[in-house]
Amino acid sequence: MESPTSLLEDSPEKFTRAQGFLLTVVACAGTTVVATPLLDYLDLANIVMLFLLTVLLVAVRLGRNAAILASVLSVLLFDIFFVPPRFSLAVSNIQYVVTFAVMLATALITAHLAAGLRQQARESLAREQRTRALYQLARQLAGTLTVEQVVDIARDFIEKQFNARPLILLPDEEERPRVVSHADSLMVETHLAQIAMEGGQPVRSEDASGLGYAQLYLPLRASMRVRGVLAVKFVSSPTDLTADSTSLLEILASLIAVAVERLHYVEVAQATEVKMLTERLRSSILSALSHDLRTPLTAMVGLADSLFLVKPALPATALETAQALHDQAGRLAGLVGNLLDMARLNAGEVILRREWQPLEEVIGASINLLGNALEGHAVKVQLAADLPLLEFDAVLIERVLCNLLENAAKYAPKGSPIVVTAKADADAVEVAVMDHGPGFPEQRRDDLFKMFVRGESESSKPGTGLGLAICKAIVDAHGGQITADNRLDGGGCIRFTLPKGIPPVVEEESR
Amino acid sequence: MNAVAAKVLIVEDEKQIRRFVRMAVEEEGCQVAEAETMTQGLIDAGSRKPDLVILDLGLPDGNGIDLIRDLRGWSDVPVLILSARSQENDKIDALDAGADDYLTKPFSVGELRARVRALLRRRSRSGETVSPLVEFGRVAVDLSRRVVTRAGEPVHLTQIEYRLLSTLLAQPGKVLTQRNLLREIWGPSYIESSHYLRVYVGHLRQKLEDDPTQPKHFLTETGVGYRFQP
């Protein structure tokens, strides 16, 4: 590929101005030398044509100024060397004055037109080059996979096209522009970058250049938002930036912005995918673990029970041991269940299987599920008559209620009732589980819902301090709140809320 | 107890679990056959013609649900599922495939024996002529006359309530999935509208249970469905 010429300087000259003039002089002199021997064969009018041709060629090759010089020189040389009396400026026939005038006029007009054409050709060439460069840039940017690549491509482009050094700044978490790669020692005025990013308009500062800072700050405007700032430091002063160059820089900025935005969404998509895979892995590990732990526990519980079936019956002490084995294995199973639940709930967003349903049902199911664990406690359920349908995950809320009821049964004295109430207010339904136990210590109530925290740290009652943490995780996932409290007459009370929402209509049945 | 010992097939890959399940079932006076894999289980179910199949869902050579589907192609032998908790979907799939009941691991021998007894009782009853009279608690239902009374007082049920009641009564002890009940009573387009089912089960409890908040007969299997317990 040919090396792209700088677009900042207006157009390339093959020769310097002095060289151009020298060549012009040489060309005119050459024409004179060539035409002299032809004088015997050619009319003077045709010699004029030769000079006009020279002017045309000079105009095409060397530009307007050289062509004007060639026009004047041609007339002079024609006068001196060809028009009698030769070798003098004097003119024998006054008619030749007309010849000179016409010749000069023709030459100048030719020079003007030819030079104009040349200028246009060069401009369109430059335009084409610019388009090609931008096209190439867009193609390169479309293939980028990292922001660093975008920066490299932009730097290449700006260095070649503008003889300037760029830096790209992207917003950090606090929406402050931050330089992407530090490979470059170019200094940027972050304040100006911030203005450009917030305002969405280019910011220029001539003062900054003296201090070695980048002078031009262009916002990277993409379809959704400003994605960052392109800072450019020109080696020369940027005051001579043409309109073309400015618009080119703006196009460049928006191309970079699109690339950065695309990369942003690629990143978002990748993060989602990674999260999904992690989630899947975690849930498969948890269910494998759950299976592997539960299988031996099931065997232990069942085998301990089966000792009761041995014939002839084992002695009473052996059966007591068997019962203890059964109970301990059952407890262990409960703990494993709690730990796995906590791991599942803690692992990230809880997946809720929400369905609209009456609260009453899940309360009844929880009491039924606990069965023997509630032995010695009458459970009173007092529900307000106007409870709406609520949208919740029944399995998880059942878990909350079971944990709360089990706790109450564990700590309250045998024979005391446990009361479950529920009432609705404007935007939530509050469920309370109350017992006649020792209640909760005043100062540590909020800690109760943290993992591995227990009301009394050295309690003789078995437990891990996971139950309430699980409740909190589940209630939180439903957008509710859970609090611990004591009843006026002593005894613990845990309340949790579930948001009301707009329940679906159950059409009345036509009778 | 039946005059002829009932035959029970246990399909479970874990030896120790098989052992105590066998002891518990034998205690019920049943003959027991064991299978470790799904393939063996299917062969035994065909050749031994058991009266009850106890099936672990996680078998080494396949999913127990496939075994149920296969089995249901040619047999209506009751199937009791053994499954781990927190796998509601597996339970629902197994029940929808035709399983009758499930036990969540770990379970006690007492629970297991109760379920086995209930399922075997249903089998022995199937041969008798079905009585149109069903009684539970203080409620009596005459299916032939569509009359429901509670403590002697007639109870008015709407059409849907009555249809729900008779569907539940038809399969006592069996867990009926939500999907199953919704399709049966409201039709296939209501399969996702589980709140209908819940509201109407609530109505039945209000009208027929002594304490609707702690039902004794219309039991919820949370996340799965309902069970009628006579």
Side-chain angles (χ1 to χ4, degrees):
Chain A
M1 205 189 92
E2 80 209 73
S3 76
T5 44
S6 168
L7 293 179
L8 188 63
E9 289 142 34
D10 205 349
S11 57
E13 293 286 352
K14 282 198 189 118
F15 308 103
T16 63
R17 182 170 283 233
Q19 278 174 333
F21 287 151
L22 191 65
L23 274 173
T24 309
V25 173
V26 170
C28 293
T31 309
T32 310
V33 171
V34 170
T36 306
L38 298 173
L39 190 56
D40 297 340
Y41 309 100
L42 291 180
D43 235 13
L44 276 183
N46 287 332
I47 302 287
V48 169
M49 293 300 159
L50 289 178
F51 276 102
L52 286 178
L53 180 65
T54 308
V55 171
L56 182 67
L57 289 175
V58 166
V60 168
R61 301 297 302 169
L62 301 174
R64 181 175 285 118
N65 292 339
I68 292 169
L69 176 66
S71 308
V72 175
L73 263 180
S74 297
V75 172
L76 285 176
L77 289 171
F78 178 63
D79 178 17
I80 294 169
F81 292 101
F82 298 96
V83 174
R86 292 179 70 192
F87 308 111
S88 97
L89 276 173
V91 177
S92 56
N93 193 333
I94 199 70
Q95 280 192 48
Y96 285 116
V97 175
V98 177
T99 310
F100 294 152
V102 171
M103 184 182 171
L104 186 62
T106 312
L108 285 174
I109 291 167
T110 308
H112 177 71
L113 289 176
L117 278 175
R118 175 174 176 271
Q119 175 80 18
Q120 273 175 19
R122 259 189 343 201
E123 270 172 13
S124 67
L125 184 70
R127 217 172 291 136
E128 192 213 311
Q129 267 178 358
R130 202 180 75 176
T131 312
R132 200 185 314 144
L134 275 176
Y135 169 69
Q136 195 142 30
L137 177 81
R139 219 174 46 180
Q140 284 176 327
L141 284 177
T144 49
L145 296 172
T146 63
V147 174
E148 283 71 27
Q149 283 176 321
V150 173
V151 173
D152 286 347
I153 289 166
R155 182 186 302 133
D156 271 9
F157 183 82
I158 292 187
E159 275 171 3
K160 277 185 192 146
Q161 302 291 346
F162 295 96
N163 191 20
R165 282 162 59 208
L167 259 191
I168 291 178
L169 299 97
L170 299 181
D172 58 11
E173 290 81 29
E174 286 153 28
E175 295 296 312
R176 278 200 302 259
R178 178 145 307 165
V179 179
V180 175
S181 86
H182 286 279
D184 218 306
S185 59
L186 175 59
M187 287 193 291
V188 288
E189 174 52 69
T190 25
H191 184 61
L192 293 178
Q194 179 99 39
I195 294 173
M197 197 168 82
E198 279 165 10
Q201 296 296 329
V203 176
R204 267 170 86 158
S205 164
E206 304 308 333
D207 307 339
S209 67
L211 303 166
Y213 287 103
Q215 303 106 323
L216 183 61
Y217 298 84
L218 292 161
L220 300 178
R221 257 182 309 193
S223 53
M224 297 305 287
R225 48 167 292 185
V226 176
R227 294 265 163 210
V229 175
L230 171 68
V232 186
K233 166 146 175 51
F234 296 96
V235 176
S236 55
S237 165
T239 38
D240 52 358
L241 266 184
T242 61
D244 267 4
S245 307
T246 315
S247 78
L248 181 62
L249 276 172
E250 274 168 11
I251 293 170
L252 174 68
S254 58
L255 280 175
I256 294 173
V258 169
V260 170
E261 186 162 75
R262 183 179 57 82
L263 290 176
H264 168 75
Y265 285 119
V266 167
E267 212 168 276
V268 169
Q270 274 171 348
T272 316
E273 168 129 14
V274 167
K275 207 167 120 195
M276 228 170 61
L277 287 177
T278 320
E279 211 63 51
R280 204 174 303 157
L281 180 68
R282 181 158 38 215
S283 97
S284 69
I285 289 174
L286 279 175
S287 61
L289 196 62
S290 151
H291 177 262
D292 288 357
L293 288 170
R294 214 157 263 150
T295 303
L297 283 169
T298 305
M300 279 166 72
V301 171
L303 289 171
D305 278 356
S306 69
L307 289 175
F308 286 87
L309 306 177
V310 175
K311 305 256 166 53
L314 295 174
T317 47
L319 290 183
E320 253 174 61
T321 310
Q323 185 60 45
L325 270 175
H326 170 99
D327 293 348
Q328 295 299 315
R331 254 182 63 195
L332 192 53
L335 295 184
V336 166
N338 269 351
L339 280 170
L340 289 173
D341 278 353
M342 200 64 233
R344 207 168 268 141
L345 291 167
N346 247 17
E349 285 111 275
V350 187
I351 299 152
L352 296 179
R353 285 177 43 198
R354 283 173 188 253
E355 283 176 4
W356 289 98
Q357 52 200 308
L359 194 61
E360 176 186 281
E361 179 162 86
V362 71
I363 294 176
S366 307
I367 295 169
N368 189 41
L369 190 71
L370 285 176
N372 291 340
L374 295 175
E375 212 167 71
H377 299 274
V379 182
K380 290 185 197 158
V381 182
Q382 298 164 356
L383 304 181
D386 61 342
L387 287 182
L389 290 184
L390 293 173
E391 194 182 29
F392 57 85
D393 184 320
V395 175
L396 292 180
I397 294 298
E398 181 182 79
R399 197 98 181 80
V400 172
L401 286 163
C402 281
N403 281 352
L404 296 183
L405 289 168
E406 217 173 359
N407 261 356
K410 199 155 74 179
Y411 292 103
K414 280 260 177 283
S416 63
I418 299 169
V419 182
V420 181
T421 66
K423 59 177 195 288
D425 64 19
D427 37 36
V429 169
E430 186 193 80
V431 184
V433 177
M434 295 174 272
D435 64 41
H436 287 82
F440 302 103
E442 192 97 20
Q443 63 276 25
R444 303 180 46 204
R445 274 185 204 158
D446 291 340
D447 289 347
L448 283 174
F449 296 100
K450 289 183 185 154
M451 264 190 278
F452 308 114
V453 172
R454 305 185 58 197
E456 290 164 56
S457 18
E458 296 301 321
S459 173
S460 58
K461 308 271 183 188
T464 49
L466 273 177
L468 287 180
I470 290 173
C471 292
K472 180 167 168 55
I474 293 172
V475 172
D476 283 352
H478 281 83
Q481 268 139 26
I482 187 164
T483 51
D485 209 344
N486 281 352
R487 289 149 54 111
L488 290 177
D489 57 350
C493 170
I494 301 233
R495 298 166 202 279
F496 68 91
T497 59
L498 289 172
K500 262 167 128 178
I502 302 158
V505 181
V506 176
E507 292 140 33
E508 275 296 309
E509 195 181 337
S510 55
R511 311 214 159 196
Chain B
M1 195 148 299
N2 304 306
V4 189
K7 286 174 284 184
V8 176
L9 172 64
I10 303 170
V11 188
E12 159 71 73
D13 59 321
E14 193 62 35
K15 189 174 164 222
Q16 295 304 331
I17 295 179
R18 227 164 42 226
R19 204 172 89 141
F20 82 77
V21 171
R22 173 182 204 124
M23 285 177 79
V25 175
E26 278 175 348
E27 192 67 17
E28 291 298 313
C30 303
Q31 267 182 26
V32 176
E34 293 178 16
E36 282 184 48
T37 61
M38 184 170 127
T39 326
Q40 189 58 41
L42 264 177
I43 294 170
D44 285 354
S47 60
R48 291 173 194 263
K49 307 222 163 17
D51 300 299
L52 170 66
V53 176
I54 299 177
L55 172 67
D56 180 32
L57 279 187
L59 291 169
D61 60 338
N63 193 325
I65 293 165
D66 295 331
L67 190 150
I68 302 171
R69 289 211 183 94
D70 217 325
L71 189 67
R72 279 290 172 257
W74 44 269
S75 164
D76 59 357
V77 56
V79 175
L80 173 62
I81 295 295
L82 306 180
S83 90
R85 203 197 55 188
S86 75
Q87 294 179 346
E88 265 72 27
N89 284 333
D90 283 358
K91 290 178 201 163
I92 293 170
D93 288 347
L95 291 166
D96 276 340
D100 294 77
D101 202 348
Y102 65 84
L103 268 176
T104 302
K105 290 180 182 178
F107 50 87
S108 72
V109 165
E111 289 173 281
L112 173 64
R113 287 175 65 180
R115 298 293 165 90
V116 168
R117 267 201 302 273
L119 287 168
L120 288 177
R121 196 162 50 226
R122 211 190 312 161
R123 173 201 64 119
S124 64
R125 207 188 293 145
S126 63
E128 305 164 12
T129 46
V130 185
S131 160
L133 270 175
V134 184
E135 287 185 36
F136 56 92
R138 298 191 292 156
V139 177
V141 182
D142 185 339
L143 292 166
S144 63
R145 295 192 300 135
R146 297 183 150 238
V147 173
V148 183
T149 57
R150 179 173 164 205
E153 297 288 313
V155 178
H156 176 77
L157 294 185
T158 67
Q159 270 194 8
I160 288 181
E161 285 163 7
Y162 184 80
R163 222 176 322 157
L164 179 60
L165 175 67
S166 56
T167 309
L168 287 165
L169 294 192
Q171 307 187 63
K174 177 167 173 156
V175 180
L176 300 170
T177 62
Q178 285 181 18
R179 208 182 321 174
N180 199 327
L181 286 167
L182 284 163
R183 193 189 301 122
E184 193 106 325
I185 293 157
W186 282 271
S189 55
Y190 280 80
I191 279 177
E192 301 302 321
S193 313
S194 64
H195 54 282
Y196 274 83
L197 178 60
R198 295 195 155 114
V199 166
Y200 275 90
V201 171
H203 291 175
L204 277 189
R205 285 179 180 147
Q206 289 290 342
K207 289 179 179 178
L208 303 177
E209 291 276 4
D210 288 339
D211 180 354
T213 60
Q214 296 183 49
K216 295 278 170 281
H217 305 291
F218 301 103
L219 304 182
T220 309
E221 296 289 329
T222 305
V224 178
Y226 293 97
R227 179 207 302 272
F228 167 64
Q229 193 75 53

